[in-house]
Amino acid sequence: MAMVDVGLGVQMNMAMNGIVKSEMENSYDSSIAHKSKDVSLKDLSNRLAEFAHVRGWDQHHSPRNLLLALVGEVGELSEIFQWKGEVGKGLPNWSDDEKEHLEEELSDVLLYLVRLADVCGLDLGQAALTKIIKNARKYPVAVINQNSISSYN
């Protein structure tokens, strides 16, 4: 089956999950083999742009296509939690394999979101900080704390 036949999201997932290897990916493997504490959105954006460019995928990375791929990945993420009921913080009683699967699906969602923002010409990090400020104004601490106290009394 040709790469074009399987669809953009599957192509990116196949390549990102190591089914399609290149020398560039091997250099990425060695450069990110050790876990880094801080990875910037800009670094992810740059790596994704280069990843898509060297494969000739830029023509397929329209905002619409990336959004649809993102929605598909959110669906896969949702499936992990679908029948688990309420899950505690820290994922108690989850196996290492389940946690790894969750990491992979969360990463897929993040990577498509970062790529979508980049293709749209948006600074996702700055947009997120701006949104936090807007939410802080919309939900001031004093009002939220007062409402929380009164709702329990």
Side-chain angles (χ1 to χ4, degrees):
M1 177 183 292
M3 289 292 279
V4 180
D5 294 335
V6 295
L8 174 65
V10 173
Q11 289 175 28
M12 278 189 68
N13 285 336
M14 287 170 54
M16 288 180 189
N17 290 324
I19 293 171
V20 178
K21 284 282 191 182
S22 70
E23 286 183 30
M24 179 169 286
E25 285 174 298
N26 289 332
S27 69
Y28 281 155
D29 290 347
S30 63
S31 70
I32 57 176
H34 63 286
K35 292 189 177 185
S36 174
K37 287 185 179 183
D38 296 316
V39 177
S40 73
L41 291 178
K42 191 63 175 169
D43 185 43
L44 290 176
S45 178
N46 290 339
R47 285 179 184 250
L48 288 169
E50 183 177 4
F51 189 91
H53 178 73
V54 299
R55 288 164 178 77
W57 292 353
D58 287 327
Q59 63 183 332
H60 305 292
H61 283 195
S62 66
R64 177 192 173 275
N65 286 349
L66 290 167
L67 175 62
L68 293 176
L70 173 63
V71 169
E73 292 300 336
V74 169
E76 290 183 30
L77 178 60
S78 299
E79 287 176 351
I80 295 173
F81 290 92
Q82 187 172 8
W83 305 113
K84 290 203 178 279
E86 198 58 42
V87 175
K89 292 180 181 179
L91 309 176
N93 305 317
W94 281 42
S95 70
D96 288 342
D97 287 344
E98 289 174 313
K99 289 179 181 180
E100 182 178 347
H101 185 208
L102 178 59
E103 283 179 336
E104 290 171 359
E105 296 306 330
L106 284 168
S107 296
D108 287 341
V109 169
L110 174 64
L111 294 174
Y112 276 115
L113 184 62
V114 168
R115 184 71 175 139
L116 176 59
D118 185 44
V119 167
C120 290
L122 304 174
D123 182 339
L124 186 59
Q126 188 59 54
L129 291 173
T130 299
K131 183 63 175 176
I132 291 170
I133 291 168
K134 285 182 180 180
N135 286 342
R137 290 181 185 138
K138 186 175 181 179
Y139 306 105
V141 174
V143 172
I144 299 302
N145 286 341
Q146 185 59 40
N147 288 342
S148 296
I149 292 169
S150 64
S151 67
Y152 285 106
N153 291 332

